[in-house]
Amino acid sequence: MNIKISLPDGSVREYPVGVTGMEIAKSISEGLARVSLAIEVNGELRDLSRPIDKDSSIKIMTWNDAGGKYAFWHSSAHLMAEALEALYPGVKFGIGPPIENGFYYDVDLGGRPFGDDDLAAVENKVKELAKRESTFARRDVSKKEALDYFTKKGDEYKIELINGLEDGSITFYQQGNFTDLCKGPHIPHTGFIKAVKLLNVAGAYWRGDEKNKMLTRIYGITFPKQKELEEYLFIQEEAKKRDHRKLGKELELFTFSEKVGMGLPLWLPKGTLLRERLEQFMRRAQVKAGYDPVVTPHIGGKSLYVTSGHYEKYGKDSFQPIHTPDEGEEFLLKPMNCPHHCEIYKSKPRSYRDLPIRLAEFGTVYRYEQSGELHGLTRVRGFTQDDAHIFCRPEQVKAEFVKVIDLVLHVFKSLGFENYTAQVSLRDRTNKAKYIGEDHLWDKAEREIQEAADERGLKTVAVEGEAAFYGPKLDFMVRDALGRSWQLGTIQVDYNLPERFELEYVGSDNQKHRPVMIHRAPFGSLERFVAVLIEHCAGNFPLWLSPDQIAVLPISERFNDYGQLVIDKLKELDIRGFLDDRDEKIGRKIRDAEVQKVPYMLIVGERESAEGKVSVRRHGKGDLGSLLLKEFVDQFRIEAVTP
Ligand SMILES: [Zn+2]
Ligand SMILES: [Zn+2]
């Protein structure tokens, strides 16, 4: 008897009942079979060796699929466990899952210390075992059999796990000399694991409970090719060098103070310059796009947030209300700018002719984050959004989306983010009751967001069920120079706040209507955006954005006067920079300016001062020869134009 197997390209092939994933892969091509790691059968990730006994749709998983990596790293965790058991007989095992990058295993080494040398020894053992090409064999076991096995082995952690499982649902996997309690799936054999790096060791309480014993968590990562491991390690190193917390300190952009409070960044003069340049850039783009700037306070009455619904979300789980001494008023630190903007909209009657109204504010908001969640500028407790709210008629939604997409793409292009995709978040069609807003408006907005994205040539994926309860949205995912993904620039339709604030406009029919609200913030938060930008460009900001654009470096104190003349002239022309008139060797001055990542260094000495010239050095590029100061300025100004 045959079964029908549907492939991802839509084709259907017939195979005998009991065909395995590996047999299907081979029937497609030997090349595919060589790189197949697992198979998805009707949405379930499984071993390639398991028979398929009914009509199914399948996808063969290779290293390029998340499912392939999952099986690969999960199998690697088992292999590391085998290596540990070979080197440390009697070691007990907790859990060993794959993670976003690699895998770990929590182990009880019976109190043995475990350091870097041990890590290297285990790594070597893993490499040795991998070469044996041991298959991962799956076996159904009864609960009793499973308990007997681990009781005999003396592993109380596995016994505890088995006790929480249903009889009939338990499987073992064995490779080489190691057997584990495991649901799978696994790769065909250990020989696929060609590159291994055990990364580090940490303590972890059994089951995450501090009342339990502290186990040793060993992290590792593996790859099918040595080259891929090398690339991964290179990127890790590079990411460390580019860490915005490290560069933020070195470039004197921002700092934190315990007294001011955790997660509340202090912008230093150079960071402030950078931030102000970004704000000016956005302000200009927004004026062109028809936005009106507004300013609103950092706090708002409690009832404002009760109306908006934010009190429910941010109330008791966030910063607590501020009370006035006499009047008994209650204020909340602003967690969102939208309610304030709704009140601005309501400040006078609106006609359909007034719409769209686009209110923009660099609005600072405060949200409580647990101290353990805080991270540099990417997770903070106070941050400024380049926020705006567009109030429009339903038939204007598409045109507004197109305009906002243009603005977001302008930001990406100007700041060197070339690699991005977008996600259209739609309703869950099977559960429409979950969402606020009229059915036909949702259908229309969802369709139009997609059309707007298509018109602008965006690569999109549409995901059902990802929309907020109050409206569909478009999210941008940006890849930085190290290939890491960041979500930047959400455009969100909102049917909820206009309802809650009873926003209205008088239509051409003289009747009252509800406007649609669109939230959008191309940078998102300036803090997080600056962090992403620092790591993306490694602190080498575009010239128009650099806090210091030039450094004037006299080769000795004799030329400080000429240096002063040069810097004064440049400052008059709105060029930002400084004169390094320290009593230091020129080599040292150049090195320091390089570390500060100053784009242009202007070296001045005997010849330069006599001829009214500067010797130009570009950061990362080296010597560009000597130019008349005026020639340099002309070239500089062309390059430094704000986009
Ligand atoms: Zn497992
Ligand atoms: Zn908003």
Side-chain angles (χ1 to χ4, degrees):
M1 216 178 73
N2 280 354
I3 52 170
K4 291 195 174 69
I5 297 292
S6 322
L7 302 175
D9 66 2
S11 64
V12 178
R13 296 185 181 210
E14 291 210 10
Y15 293 95
V17 175
V19 68
T20 67
M22 188 49 95
E23 285 160 359
I24 296 173
K26 277 189 178 141
S27 78
I28 296 170
S29 82
E30 281 294 330
L32 177 63
R34 272 197 300 278
V35 294
S36 299
L37 298 173
I39 183 172
E40 204 176 80
V41 182
N42 301 322
E44 184 200 353
L45 195 62
R46 292 168 49 163
D47 302 327
L48 281 164
S49 58
R50 279 177 73 184
I52 301 170
D53 51 16
K54 60 172 195 271
D55 293 352
S56 301
S57 43
I58 62 122
K59 182 168 191 276
I60 305 278
M61 295 282 158
T62 70
W63 178 251
N64 295 325
D65 304 294
K69 288 194 176 75
Y70 181 97
F72 194 89
W73 284 332
H74 188 179
S75 304
S76 303
H78 281 229
L79 187 62
M80 180 174 78
E82 186 183 355
L84 283 162
E85 199 161 68
L87 295 174
Y88 305 94
V91 56
K92 295 170 191 177
F93 295 96
I95 55 161
I99 53 178
E100 198 188 346
N101 286 304
F103 57 89
Y104 67 78
Y105 220 125
D106 286 345
V107 299
D108 183 347
L109 292 162
R112 279 193 209 88
F114 192 84
D116 284 350
D117 289 349
D118 305 298
L119 208 57
V122 178
E123 186 178 301
N124 285 334
K125 192 75 186 170
V126 174
K127 288 177 191 162
E128 179 198 318
L129 293 174
K131 291 199 187 104
R132 295 186 186 171
E133 303 193 353
S134 314
T135 52
F136 288 87
R138 176 191 164 94
R139 178 156 60 96
D140 288 309
V141 289
S142 68
K143 193 163 180 168
K144 178 171 180 308
E145 210 179 322
L147 285 170
D148 285 350
Y149 178 84
F150 283 104
T151 306
K152 204 165 142 225
K153 198 179 168 193
D155 191 329
E156 65 260 33
Y157 306 103
K158 294 291 177 189
I159 292 170
E160 191 180 322
L161 291 174
I162 295 163
N163 278 325
L165 297 174
E166 294 269 319
D167 201 0
S169 71
I170 301 171
T171 49
F172 278 2
Y173 273 83
Q174 181 178 2
Q175 97 277 0
N177 291 319
F178 180 74
T179 299
D180 208 346
L181 166 73
C182 182
K183 284 204 301 279
H186 287 284
I187 60 177
H189 62 75
T190 60
F192 283 84
I193 301 169
K194 295 269 198 276
V196 181
K197 181 81 193 162
L198 298 193
L199 298 166
N200 62 304
V201 179
Y205 293 108
W206 169 235
R207 303 202 128 176
D209 186 340
E210 58 189 274
K211 286 197 229 71
N212 290 339
K213 189 162 177 185
M214 172 88 83
L215 303 180
T216 304
R217 177 168 294 179
I218 306 174
Y219 287 95
I221 194 160
T222 50
F223 292 89
K225 287 186 186 137
Q226 184 64 26
K227 199 171 135 264
E228 284 165 321
L229 172 62
E230 280 158 21
E231 274 167 15
Y232 174 80
L233 294 175
F234 171 77
I235 287 177
Q236 292 307 104
E237 263 320 293
E238 194 56 31
K240 261 189 228 159
K241 281 189 219 155
R242 289 170 180 237
D243 189 320
H244 75 277
R245 294 167 300 175
K246 177 175 168 283
L247 283 177
K249 199 173 197 168
E250 287 168 12
L251 304 179
E252 297 179 23
L253 300 175
F254 59 88
T255 188
F256 289 91
S257 138
E258 261 177 47
K259 279 203 172 127
V260 171
M262 277 186 286
L264 297 168
L266 301 173
W267 289 84
L268 300 172
K270 286 183 189 180
T272 306
L273 249 167
L274 178 73
R275 193 184 145 123
E276 280 180 352
R277 298 290 303 159
L278 283 171
E279 283 186 18
Q280 274 168 31
F281 160 78
M282 184 58 75
R283 245 184 217 118
R284 228 169 57 145
Q286 286 181 165
V287 167
K288 275 192 202 155
Y291 288 79
D292 293 312
V294 294
V295 175
T296 67
H298 288 224
I299 61 175
K302 181 176 160 186
S303 70
L304 178 71
Y305 301 108
V306 171
T307 301
S308 71
H310 292 126
Y311 186 73
E312 229 174 287
K313 187 167 176 215
Y314 293 102
K316 78 171 179 11
D317 295 326
S318 192
F319 291 115
Q320 294 308 290
I322 301 162
H323 298 267
T324 50
D326 299 325
E327 298 88 338
E329 295 162 295
E330 276 190 295
F331 295 96
L332 254 73
L333 280 168
K334 173 162 83 174
M336 294 273 217
N337 302 300
C338 346
H340 292 71
H341 292 185
C342 287
E343 288 298 303
I344 291 178
Y345 180 91
K346 279 185 89 167
S347 62
K348 68 176 194 184
R350 308 286 181 175
S351 134
Y352 70 98
R353 281 191 220 93
D354 303 329
L355 303 184
I357 289 170
R358 311 182 187 93
L359 304 179
E361 175 176 21
F362 290 93
T364 304
V365 295
Y366 300 90
R367 296 177 197 167
Y368 170 74
E369 300 273 357
Q370 288 181 355
S371 53
E373 301 286 316
L374 298 171
H375 181 88
L377 290 183
T378 54
R379 273 305 260 289
V380 287
R381 285 175 168 177
F383 54 94
T384 302
Q385 298 175 305
D386 60 328
D387 211 358
H389 296 96
I390 299 166
F391 302 88
C392 65
R393 311 200 299 267
E395 60 270 28
Q396 292 171 321
V397 166
K398 182 177 168 186
E400 289 307 305
F401 256 80
V402 170
K403 287 185 79 144
V404 181
I405 291 171
D406 285 344
L407 188 65
V408 172
L409 298 187
H410 173 58
V411 170
F412 292 170
K413 193 166 155 263
S414 304
L415 292 156
F417 293 103
E418 277 146 21
N419 208 330
Y420 48 81
T421 54
Q423 178 180 313
V424 187
S425 298
L426 308 171
R427 270 186 303 184
D428 174 359
R429 246 147 253 284
T430 62
N431 191 4
K432 285 186 181 177
K434 226 169 75 181
Y435 303 90
I436 188 169
E438 290 171 57
D439 198 32
H440 72 279
L441 288 182
W442 268 87
D443 281 342
K444 186 168 164 306
E446 290 183 342
R447 196 178 58 243
E448 291 181 347
I449 292 172
Q450 187 65 57
E451 285 169 7
D454 292 345
E455 271 175 33
R456 285 306 187 249
L458 279 179
K459 261 189 265 164
T460 55
V461 279
V463 187
E464 269 196 43
E466 281 289 295
F469 77 93
Y470 52 85
K473 64 176 173 165
L474 184 67
D475 286 316
F476 290 83
M477 295 299 296
V478 174
R479 265 180 190 281
D480 72 9
L482 298 185
R484 299 169 301 178
S485 281
W486 302 88
Q487 195 204 309
L488 288 176
T490 295
I491 317 174
Q492 168 83 59
V493 174
D494 188 347
Y495 299 114
N496 180 42
L497 286 185
E499 204 63 49
R500 281 178 165 261
F501 280 89
E502 300 176 331
L503 305 183
E504 288 171 347
Y505 66 90
V506 177
S508 56
D509 56 1
N510 250 328
Q511 302 293 309
K512 288 185 168 166
H513 300 272
R514 282 261 183 273
V516 180
M517 195 170 167
I518 299 172
H519 311 251
R520 45 105 286 181
F523 292 148
S525 112
L526 274 164
E527 282 71 10
R528 182 165 168 277
F529 188 81
V530 167
V532 173
L533 184 62
I534 291 173
E535 299 195 5
H536 176 58
C537 69
N540 298 302
F541 303 111
L543 191 55
W544 62 273
L545 202 54
S546 272
D548 282 317
Q549 298 171 306
I550 51 127
V552 179
L553 314 177
I555 59 168
S556 80
E557 276 184 276
R558 264 207 304 144
F559 307 106
N560 280 355
D561 287 347
Y562 178 64
Q564 189 65 50
L565 214 76
V566 170
I567 191 79
D568 287 347
K569 182 79 196 151
L570 295 173
K571 287 203 166 164
E572 241 169 66
L573 298 167
D574 270 338
I575 295 172
R576 302 182 295 275
F578 60 92
L579 170 72
D580 185 351
D581 56 5
R582 292 175 301 165
D583 183 16
E584 291 285 357
K585 291 235 162 54
I586 186 68
R588 173 71 191 271
K589 289 184 184 180
I590 292 174
R591 245 188 344 270
D592 288 351
E594 291 276 3
V595 170
Q596 285 291 306
K597 300 180 191 267
V598 181
Y600 279 105
M601 287 152 271
L602 305 180
I603 297 150
V604 294
E606 187 83 61
R607 244 200 29 226
E608 288 80 7
S609 65
E611 298 173 7
K613 287 188 168 178
V614 289
S615 279
V616 183
R617 219 185 134 83
R618 184 76 164 96
H619 173 82
K621 286 199 182 128
D623 226 338
L624 300 182
S626 81
L627 291 174
L628 287 171
L629 183 58
K630 188 184 169 315
E631 290 173 332
F632 169 74
V633 168
D634 290 345
Q635 285 184 17
F636 177 94
R637 289 179 125 181
I638 294 168
E639 195 192 336
V641 171
T642 304

